[in-house]
């Protein structure tokens, strides 16, 4: 018999407020709530609750809340409740623990240990409401050579560029891991904002080719849905070498999630598991990577930038240096807090390094080697606010990928059970009755609102520093100071301690 | 005129609109006090059949059959296009309940008159409360042209 594990969260209903409308019952795909006709009251089974807050948000009388259970084993600073429960779970099941979204462990968040500068007296701040404040930027190689044609006219030797109106893109989330309506919301928001969303490794649904000029298509180890039309349709192509949430391992989308539509888009049989191998089986060196980069460029007539995405791991700077030399136009680095639709818990929680440190290392290494202008740098893996974006750019990033923040805007409540496929918010699911809960007309507006709000805040912070363009902020580490950081951390981040002068 | 339109594709069958309607027409300002422990009498009805759901309430027809068939002149179409019922004039024959092709008129709980959606013009809400609380834009309150109702 399985060991009983007391639920981590409890559903609490205020009986004085509940009007027994049964909205919670209809909205919980985990079948937690039930109406008892004998007593005329609602009953909840907290054991099934994943704490997604769907019922809490929809209850018309706000009668519900979810609380952390105070049931506890004997207090033990080494063996905390969760650690013990995970042992019980594995003793029950014999299986690898699965989880989703980003690493929730209490590791230090370096964004929160960096402070932004502002101008006083000697250099005036700029008011973004009165003066131009440029957040537009381009991603791609900036190394153009001066060449002339026979008539002596200057040739355009600039490599293809991606134009962004805001320093924010939506990161890779595949159709399959997220729903059709989530993809539609992201695509429409990217179009309206003048930025890009990323198909992830699941191919591009036929309905979304019309958003091609705002689409980055991914080529991952499973090569799902990759064909000429797919590459042609996009603004840029991303080779996915790794993902921050699960560096070094592949992906596995269970057959149950391979619906007719997903199977058509991924170009694989319906109902069959979609396995993404850990490595690309044709890439075992930078030279191999270079071959794929150039194959993709050749296939698209050198008109589209190629991005190479890697997870932030220990030797990130050397790897990035290799990628910069592979012909890639952009390097995307994904930190260890990046989200996922499903990952083994131990990998998600223990593998990889923080994006802040990885970014600082990579930017410095590429500068030292004189190849920083050969590539743009994109970072992701838990960019939570406009302040994180500003700090990332000051550390050396060109722009930021947001994934989790975008899903939050769509309604996600970070219950971290995407892998179960029953997302009550219609995001990480393929069940038609649940997918329907995300109306893209509302979803895309919320995404546009979020990014617009962040962009205003970015402009405010830039204005405060007396900087009037994103370009002038990039790599401007003097605009940052550390707080609560040790020598090694300050050295890697390349910033001074708060209070230290220029 | 602005009417409530149904986007069946997005209706979840959550039935929130029914409760918000009942609250709006309760005359009370506290939803718990208005609805707790009582049967509700909404003027919007959610039809459910398997995975299909949609909410139905009065269409405020241009040539309203309920208005034409009312024997006591209790139903009328206002200047604003809203089809209203005057409870004082209604004799409770329920002819309108029978003739409305949408089933949008219903007997009032007191049994003496009929009742129907008046787009929340007759209560404290000011605008349709069902629309305001629909979580998925499955019902919208908007002006549409070229729509033959
Ligand atoms: S949604 Fe709220 S009021 Fe309705 S039954 Fe559930 S707890 Fe009660
Ligand atoms: S799983 Fe979500 S909807 Fe269901 S009871 Fe828990 S919080 Fe509410
Ligand atoms: S509130 Fe909206 S989604 Fe829910 S049943 Fe009514 S119309 Fe449908
Ligand atoms: S009650 Fe029925 S017939 Fe009368 S206006 Fe409304 S929908 Fe039309």
């Amino acid at each position: 018999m399985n060991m009983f594990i007391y639920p981590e969260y409890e559903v609490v209903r205020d009986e004085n407020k509940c009007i027994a409308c049964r909205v919670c019952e209809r909205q919980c795909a985990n079948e937690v709530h039930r109406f008892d006709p004998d007593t005329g009251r609602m009953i909840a089974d907290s054991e099934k609750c994943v704490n997604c807050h769907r019922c809490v948000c929809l209850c018309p009388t706000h009668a519900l809340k979810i609380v952390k259970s105070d049931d506890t084993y004997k207090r033990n600073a080494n063996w905390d409740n969760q650690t013990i429960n995970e042992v019980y779970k594995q003793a029950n099941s014999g299986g690898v623990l699965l989880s989703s979204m980003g690493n929730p462990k209490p590791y230090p968040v370096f964004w929160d240990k960096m402070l932004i500068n502002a101008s006083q007296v000697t250099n005036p701040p700029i008011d973004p409401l009165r003066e131009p404040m440029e957040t537009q930027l381009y991603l791609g190689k900036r190394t153009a050579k001066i060449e002339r044609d026979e008539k002596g006219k200057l040739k355009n030797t600039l490599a293809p560029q991606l134009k962004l109106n805001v320093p924010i893109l939506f990161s890779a989330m595949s159709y399959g891991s997220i729903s059709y309506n989530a993809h539609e919301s992201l695509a429409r928001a990217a179009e309206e904002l003048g930025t890009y969303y990323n198909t992830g490794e699941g191919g591009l649904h036929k309905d979304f080719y019309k958003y091609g000029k705002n689409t980055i298509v991914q080529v991952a180890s499973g090569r799902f849905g990759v064909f000429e039309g797919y590459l042609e349709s996009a603004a840029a192509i991303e080779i996915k070498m790794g993902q921050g949430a699960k560096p070094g391992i592949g992906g596995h989308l269970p057959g149950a999630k391979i619906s007719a539509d997903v199977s058509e888009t991924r170009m694989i049989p319906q109902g069959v598991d979609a396995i993404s191998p850990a490595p690309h089986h044709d890439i075992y060196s930078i030279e191999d990577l270079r071959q794929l980069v150039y194959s993709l460029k050749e296939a698209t007539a050198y008109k589209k930038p190629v991005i190479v995405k890697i997870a932030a791991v220990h030797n990130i700077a050397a790897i990035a240096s290799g990628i910069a030399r592979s012909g890639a136009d952009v390097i995307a680095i994904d930190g260890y807090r990046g989200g996922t639709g499903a990952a083994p818990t131990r990998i998600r929680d223990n593998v990889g390094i923080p994006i802040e440190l990885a970014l600082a290392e990579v930017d410095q290494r590429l500068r030292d080697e004189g190849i920083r202008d050969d590539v743009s740098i994109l970072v992701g893996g838990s960019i939570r606010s406009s302040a994180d974006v500003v700090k990332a750019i000051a550390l050396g990033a060109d722009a930021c990928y947001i994934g989790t923040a975008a899903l939050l805007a769509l309604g996600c409540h970070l219950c971290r059970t995407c892998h179960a496929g029953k997302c009550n918010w219609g995001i990480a699911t393929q069940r038609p009755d649940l997918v329907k809960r995300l109306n893209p007309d509302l979803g895309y507006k919320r995404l546009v609102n979020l990014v617009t709000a962040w962009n205003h805040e970015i402009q405010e912070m830039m204005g405060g520093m007396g900087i009037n363009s994103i370009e002038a902020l990039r790599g401007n580490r003097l605009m940052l100071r550390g707080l609560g950081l040790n020598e090694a951390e300050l050295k890697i981040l390349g910033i001074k301690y708060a209070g230290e002068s220029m | 005129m602005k009417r409530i339109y149904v986007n069946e594709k997005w209706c979840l069958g959550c039935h929130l609109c029914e409760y918000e309607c009942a609250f709006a027409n309760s005359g009370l300002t506290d939803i718990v006090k208005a609805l707790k422990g009582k049967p509700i009498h909404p003027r919007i009805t959610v039809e459910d059949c398997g995975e299909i759901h949609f909410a139905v309430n009065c269409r405020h027809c241009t040539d309203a059959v309920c208005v034409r068939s009312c024997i006591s002149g209790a139903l009328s179409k206002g200047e604003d296009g809203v089809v209203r019922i005057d409870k004082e004039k209604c004799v409770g024959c329920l002819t309108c309940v029978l003739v409305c092709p949408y089933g949008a008129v219903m007997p009032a709980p007191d049994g003496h008159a009929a009742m129907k959606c008046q787009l929340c013009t007759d209560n404290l809400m000011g605008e349709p409360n069902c629309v305001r609380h629909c979580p998925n834009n499955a019902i919208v309150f908007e002006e549409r042209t070229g729509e033959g109702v």
Side-chain angles (χ1 to χ4, degrees), chain A residues 11 24 27-33 48-56 64 66 424:
Chain A
V11 180
C24 50
Q27 289 294 297
C28 179
N30 296 308
E31 297 173 349
V32 169
H33 302 276
K48 295 187 197 150
C49 174
V50 300
N51 195 356
C52 74
H53 269 66
R54 178 76 183 177
C55 57
V56 175
L64 288 169
I66 315 288
N424 267 326

Side-chain angles (χ1 to χ4, degrees), chain A residues 15 18 26 436-437 439, chain B residues 9 11 14 36 51 136:
Chain A
E15 289 295 343
C18 176
R26 290 186 199 99
K436 192 177 178 177
R437 295 183 181 182
N439 181 343
Chain B
K9 188 178 172 199
C11 179
C14 71
K36 189 160 174 61
E51 283 314 316
N136 213 31

Side-chain angles (χ1 to χ4, degrees), chain A residues 252-436:
Chain A
H252 180 171
L253 193 65
K257 284 195 186 176
I258 313 292
S259 63
D261 244 15
V262 173
S263 110
E264 189 187 338
T265 306
R266 293 204 172 209
M267 302 176 165
I268 53 169
Q270 199 176 331
V272 170
D273 293 11
I275 310 274
S276 300
H280 285 247
H281 286 309
D282 51 358
I283 301 179
Y284 288 89
S285 65
I286 293 292
E287 290 73 21
D288 290 345
L289 173 65
R290 187 179 173 83
Q291 284 198 12
L292 181 58
V293 169
Y294 277 94
S295 305
L296 294 171
K297 289 191 171 198
E298 192 70 37
T300 51
Y302 295 84
K303 287 198 187 117
K304 299 173 198 289
V306 172
I307 306 168
V308 174
K309 175 179 173 177
I310 41 169
V313 289
H314 299 181
N315 279 322
I316 186 75
I319 299 163
S321 165
I323 293 172
R325 294 163 201 277
S326 75
D329 299 273
V330 182
I331 303 178
I333 316 168
D334 197 14
Y336 77 148
R337 286 180 190 277
T340 173
T345 310
R346 298 299 173 229
I347 305 269
R348 183 196 68 176
D349 295 354
N350 297 285
V351 180
I353 64 169
I355 188 61
E356 303 91 319
L357 304 179
L359 164 61
E361 272 296 289
V362 168
D363 178 65
Q364 194 55 52
R365 174 77 169 254
L366 299 186
R367 288 196 207 198
D368 292 347
E369 294 181 355
I371 52 173
R372 178 64 182 83
D373 284 343
D374 289 358
V375 281
S376 292
I377 301 178
L378 271 174
V379 294
S382 206
I383 299 289
R384 305 156 304 162
S385 70
S386 57
D388 290 358
V389 175
V390 167
K391 291 170 190 176
I393 294 173
L395 275 184
D398 286 85
C400 297
Y401 262 140
I402 61 166
T404 303
L407 296 189
L408 290 175
L410 291 175
C412 164
H413 275 61
L414 278 185
C415 70
R416 306 198 295 268
T417 31
C418 319
H419 54 287
K422 289 194 286 187
C423 174
N424 267 326
W425 293 90
I427 300 168
T429 178
Q430 300 302 323
R431 236 174 76 176
D433 60 321
L434 300 177
V435 172
K436 192 177 178 177

Side-chain angles (χ1 to χ4, degrees), chain A residues 172-177 183 198-205 217-220 222-226 230 240 253 261-268 274 276:
Chain A
M173 289 176 272
S174 71
Y175 174 48
S177 75
H183 254 210
N198 187 316
T199 59
E201 59 181 307
L204 179 59
H205 192 283
V217 295
Q218 222 181 37
V219 173
R223 301 284 203 272
F224 299 121
V226 179
Y230 173 73
K240 177 195 178 184
L253 193 65
D261 244 15
V262 173
S263 110
E264 189 187 338
T265 306
R266 293 204 172 209
M267 302 176 165
I268 53 169
S276 300

